[in-house]
Amino acid sequence: MPDTAPTLPMTPLEPVLPDVLRPGLRLVFCGSAPGAVSAARGAYYAHPGNRFWRVLHEAGLTPRRLAPAEYKLLLDWGIGLTDMAKHASGNDDQLPPDAYDPAGFAARILAVRPDAVAFTAKAPAAAFLGRRTSAIGYGRVEGAPDFPPVWVMPSTSGQASRFWDDRPWHALGAWFRAEPPGGGGT
């Protein structure tokens, strides 16, 4: 008699960090994938050397500097969070080749229709836009026609310090403060 082990139903993988998304957001930040510290702490941009929370406040996107564990409070200011790789964690060079999910990212964004999307590094922007990172500049970039306006920011990771420039972050903050909700900046 053959061994007939019961078949367990397939369950979708849980994301490393939950999306912070809802309709009516002004801005959604999209990173590559949670780093090891963020995955372990269950909070976005949790590594002590990451500049994300500091620059959000300095650029005027939040009224105070949030701690990583307070990431869900971003919704109070019309800001959301997601990652291009929802089921993997680590540095970009540690991610499996199929970790990025541009189609899943696009579906999540189109479901909530924020006024704009800002990639927190060139790698996830390149995966979504289908361009090489070297062909993408920082700031507002040309995106898909039926997609919210796209911004590309210098990575806030301490490992990307040689590329750090807070000017695009401040330009995004100026847009955020000046653009009326629902305007999209077009």
Side-chain angles (χ1 to χ4, degrees), residues 128-129 131 136 139-145 148-152:
F128 176 68
L129 297 169
R131 301 178 196 152
I136 299 172
R140 180 94 175 257
V141 301
E142 185 70 31
V150 172
W151 293 71
V152 179

Side-chain angles (χ1 to χ4, degrees), residues 52-178:
F52 183 78
W53 299 106
R54 177 178 54 84
V55 78
L56 247 56
H57 176 61
E58 290 174 355
L61 291 157
T62 59
R64 66 175 177 87
R65 183 175 174 172
L66 298 174
E70 297 178 294
Y71 69 90
K72 291 180 182 176
L73 292 178
L74 285 176
L75 290 172
D76 294 345
W77 296 292
I79 298 172
L81 296 168
T82 191
D83 287 302
M84 188 61 65
K86 293 303 300 174
H87 305 289
S89 62
N91 295 337
D92 288 353
D93 61 352
Q94 299 169 325
L95 298 175
D98 62 348
Y100 283 166
D101 180 12
F105 163 75
R108 291 191 305 275
I109 295 301
L110 291 173
V112 299
R113 286 276 178 201
D115 291 346
V117 171
F119 291 98
T120 61
K122 284 188 174 184
F128 176 68
L129 297 169
R131 301 178 196 152
R132 293 185 336 266
T133 56
S134 61
I136 299 172
Y138 292 120
R140 180 94 175 257
V141 301
E142 185 70 31
D146 293 329
F147 200 78
V150 172
W151 293 71
V152 179
M153 302 289 102
S155 174
T156 57
S157 170
Q159 294 180 335
S161 289
R162 70 178 185 256
F163 301 109
W164 180 244
D165 181 357
D166 66 355
R167 291 175 296 183
W169 286 89
H170 285 274
L172 179 63
W175 167 85
F176 187 82
R177 291 186 309 278

Side-chain angles (χ1 to χ4, degrees), residues 14-70:
E14 289 293 318
V16 176
L17 291 176
D19 283 328
V20 179
L21 298 174
R22 70 173 183 215
L25 294 173
R26 302 276 319 284
L27 177 63
V28 172
F29 285 103
C30 178
S32 294
V37 172
S38 292
R41 294 185 181 170
Y44 283 86
Y45 305 99
H47 191 286
N50 196 297
R51 298 175 181 88
F52 183 78
W53 299 106
R54 177 178 54 84
V55 78
L56 247 56
H57 176 61
E58 290 174 355
L61 291 157
T62 59
R64 66 175 177 87
R65 183 175 174 172
L66 298 174
E70 297 178 294

